[in-house]
Amino acid sequence: MNETIRDKSFDTATVIESGYAHGFEKREVRHIRFHMTPLSTGGEYEAATFVERGKRKERTVGLQRLVVIRGWEHPPLELFTEERSSSYTVLSAKYDSFSEELDEYLDTYLAALAPGLLIVDQRLRLQRDVRLSRQPTKETGQPSDPGDDIGDTSADSQPEPNFLEGAVETVVLDRYERDPEARRACLRHYGFECRVCEIAMSDVYGDLGSGFIHVHHRVPLGDVRAEHDVDPIRDLIPVCPNCHSMLHRRNPPMKVEDLAAIVRARRLSAAKAGAN
C-alpha cells in the first residue's frame, strides 16, 4: 500500500468500485480509511473501510477494486443507456466489464476532475495475451503479420486462447438483511406455490422440494437502501427460483402480475396449438 494513504482517513469521499455486472459503480461514502486487513488463511491485503451515505454499517473492500475521490460533488458516470416502456425501464451497460473502452472512459472522467481530488486509483485491469495477435510461422519461426493467413481456417493456424480460472480474490459484498419472520408470515398467507407459474416445488421434486420457495420483494431492498417496515402480505410474495430470476432480468424488476400474464398467455397458446 502507498504509505501516503496507509492508516489515513477522510470524512467524505466518492468510491468507484469495479465489479463484474456493470463495470463500475459510484457511491458516496463517509469515514473512509485505508489499512491492511488480515486474511483468515494468513497474510493480509490492502483494504478500505467506509460507511455508505445513508447507511449505518461499515463495509470493507479490497483496495485493488477501488478508485477513491475526495468529496461527493462529482459528475455522474454515464455507464448505461435507458429504454423505457409504460411499465418498466431497461438499463443496458454501455461497456463490457473490465474492457479497454471502459477503462478509457474512466481515465477521461478522472482527468476532468480538479487537481488533488483523486486519492487512489487501484482498478483491476485484465492482462491481455499479446501472443494472440502475433504467432510464429512454422517456416521461419518469426512472428507473422496478423493478415498473412487470411482465409486459412485449419486448426493449426488458429491461435489457442488461454482460459484461466481458479484465482483467489477476496470480495466483500453488501448484504441487505431480510427478516425471517416476515418471510414466514408471507408463506403462512400465500403458501408455497409460485405466484407466477403456479407450481410448487414439491409437485416437481417430491419431498426434496417440500417447503422450498423464494420470497420476492416487490420493491428491491437495494432500492430502499435503509431500514424500513415490511408488510409481509403487500411487500413480499412467493416465487419459484426460475420465475424469480425472470423477474430480475429487468431493471427495475418486472411486476409479478405482468410475468404471470406472460406465462398464462404462453400456456394458453400451447394448449390451442396442441388441440389443432
Side-chain angles (χ1 to χ4, degrees), residues 145-160:
D145 185 87
D148 285 349
D149 296 318
I150 294 176
D152 184 355
T153 59
S154 65
D156 289 342
S157 69
Q158 300 303 307
E160 193 169 311

Side-chain angles (χ1 to χ4, degrees), residues 51-163:
V51 179
E52 191 170 343
R53 188 179 184 184
K55 298 183 181 179
R56 293 183 292 179
K57 288 189 177 181
E58 280 192 334
R59 182 171 179 230
T60 298
V61 179
L63 199 60
Q64 75 273 17
R65 298 171 59 84
L66 301 185
V67 175
V68 184
I69 308 168
R70 297 172 191 261
W72 289 342
E73 302 300 323
H74 307 298
L77 286 175
E78 297 178 359
L79 298 178
F80 302 96
T81 57
E82 287 191 6
E83 188 175 321
R84 295 179 179 271
S85 75
S86 58
S87 58
Y88 57 83
T89 300
V90 177
L91 296 180
S92 301
K94 288 185 177 180
Y95 310 98
D96 292 334
S97 297
F98 302 110
S99 66
E100 289 183 346
E101 293 78 12
L102 182 55
D103 266 333
E104 289 171 0
Y105 168 74
L106 192 56
D107 287 340
T108 302
Y109 177 90
L110 296 175
L113 296 175
L117 290 183
L118 181 63
I119 299 172
V120 63
D121 182 355
Q122 289 285 94
R123 283 171 281 167
L124 282 174
R125 299 172 189 258
L126 288 177
Q127 295 185 355
R128 292 168 176 79
D129 192 345
V130 297
R131 292 175 299 169
L132 296 183
S133 61
R134 291 180 64 80
Q135 297 290 319
T137 62
K138 286 178 281 190
E139 292 82 3
T140 66
Q142 298 299 316
S144 63
D145 185 87
D148 285 349
D149 296 318
I150 294 176
D152 184 355
T153 59
S154 65
D156 289 342
S157 69
Q158 300 303 307
E160 193 169 311
N162 294 332
F163 300 100

Side-chain angles (χ1 to χ4, degrees), residues 2 7 10 12 41 85 118 137 148-149 157 166 178 227 229 246 251 256 266 270:
N2 187 328
D7 299 325
F10 298 85
T12 61
T41 54
S85 75
L118 181 63
T137 62
D148 285 349
D149 296 318
S157 69
R178 288 161 167 78
E227 290 184 336
D229 291 331
M246 292 301 103
N251 188 10
V256 169
R266 291 189 62 82

